[in-house]
Amino acid sequence: ATGHPPDPEEALIAAQAQARLRAVLDEMDLEKRVVFVMYEIDEVPCEQIAEMVGVPVGTVHSRLHTARKEFQRAAERWQKRHPGALR
């Protein structure tokens, strides 16, 4: 922390980005979303995800591959519903 109060515009932009991310993630299949969030956001290795979720590591890789495509499609749908929101 720099000791400076957060810039209101930056705080608003960050809050809007978080809301967009939540909206896109909410459209995803739960099993794939869990793997996607753990790997892409929390940076958990696939082997550890496999142990935590109780599936083979190959299943984690497969879910992650599909989740990335699903995330992209959901993000595109969100953008179509909210044109001009990402400037």
Side-chain angles (χ1 to χ4, degrees):
T2 61
H4 298 284
D7 177 88
E9 186 176 351
E10 289 177 10
L12 177 61
I13 291 169
Q16 290 171 337
Q18 288 176 347
R20 284 192 300 271
L21 178 60
R22 278 192 304 274
V24 171
L25 290 174
D26 284 348
E27 291 190 30
M28 296 175 67
D29 172 77
L30 181 60
E31 287 182 338
K32 292 173 189 74
R33 180 175 62 208
V34 166
V35 170
F36 182 84
V37 169
M38 290 176 78
Y39 185 83
E40 297 291 351
I41 297 174
D42 297 334
E43 300 180 347
V44 177
C46 287
E47 294 76 15
Q48 189 175 347
I49 295 171
E51 290 176 22
M52 295 170 75
V53 177
V55 298
V57 72
T59 301
V60 171
H61 288 286
S62 176
R63 288 181 186 174
L64 182 58
H65 177 77
T66 305
R68 286 175 173 154
K69 290 180 181 180
E70 198 173 301
F71 180 85
Q72 182 64 39
R73 286 191 303 268
E76 289 168 0
R77 284 191 304 270
W78 185 92
Q79 183 60 39
K80 286 179 183 177
R81 289 191 307 267
H82 303 89
L86 300 177
R87 293 185 178 174

